[in-house]
Amino acid sequence: MTNPVWPSTLQQAPDLGSAQYEPVAENILVTQMETGAPKRRRRFTAMPAKLTCSITCTGAQMATLDTFKSTTLKDTGVFDWVDVRTGAAATYGFLEGIKYQQQDGFPDQWTATLSLIKVA
């Protein structure tokens, strides 16, 4: 079964300068030895990353985004979009609700802040 894709009526890449990647957890496990240096190893072979970014949208696009998250993905599903670092395809899921902020001086311009987890 294929994943849903990011809606074509929405902005296709995050706003410039808004993307921030960070690891979900530390991937290094350190074990103290009785003698000698501590041993270090990877905790996981694959490490998901959290992506926080923003897109600009209109009121109609806000409704599309809300419907995509709540109806298409049923809040917990994953979708295919673009990896902003490489431009390659990537699979994401929402970590939390979408935050909207109206842009000053523009009644139908909103900034949607997305908190996503990159799963593949």
Side-chain angles (χ1 to χ4, degrees):
M1 187 168 136
T2 60
N3 296 328
V5 296
W6 183 254
S8 62
T9 56
L10 296 177
Q11 185 174 316
Q12 293 302 300
D15 292 339
L16 289 176
S18 74
Q20 178 181 350
Y21 272 95
E22 60 183 285
V24 173
E26 184 56 57
N27 198 29
I28 298 172
L29 182 62
V30 179
T31 305
Q32 296 296 327
M33 310 278 48
E34 276 189 40
T35 61
K39 301 292 181 190
R40 298 166 37 99
R41 65 179 175 88
R42 291 175 75 185
R43 190 180 299 256
F44 310 105
T45 55
M47 190 68 183
K50 178 180 178 182
L51 168 64
T52 304
C53 64
S54 298
I55 62 169
T56 302
C57 55
T58 64
Q61 289 172 318
M62 284 173 49
T64 299
L65 185 53
D66 288 338
T67 299
F68 178 67
K69 182 180 178 295
S70 64
T71 304
T72 305
L73 301 178
K74 296 184 180 14
D75 293 317
T76 60
V78 296
F79 62 96
D80 293 333
W81 199 23
V82 63
D83 184 322
V84 298
R85 297 175 294 181
T86 65
T91 301
Y92 294 96
F94 282 91
L95 278 174
E96 55 189 50
I98 303 163
K99 297 176 180 78
Y100 294 105
Q101 182 175 355
Q102 189 176 21
Q103 294 183 3
D104 289 338
F106 299 95
D108 198 33
Q109 290 289 315
W110 296 82
T111 298
T113 302
L114 313 175
S115 180
L116 307 172
I117 185 163
K118 182 180 177 203
V119 294

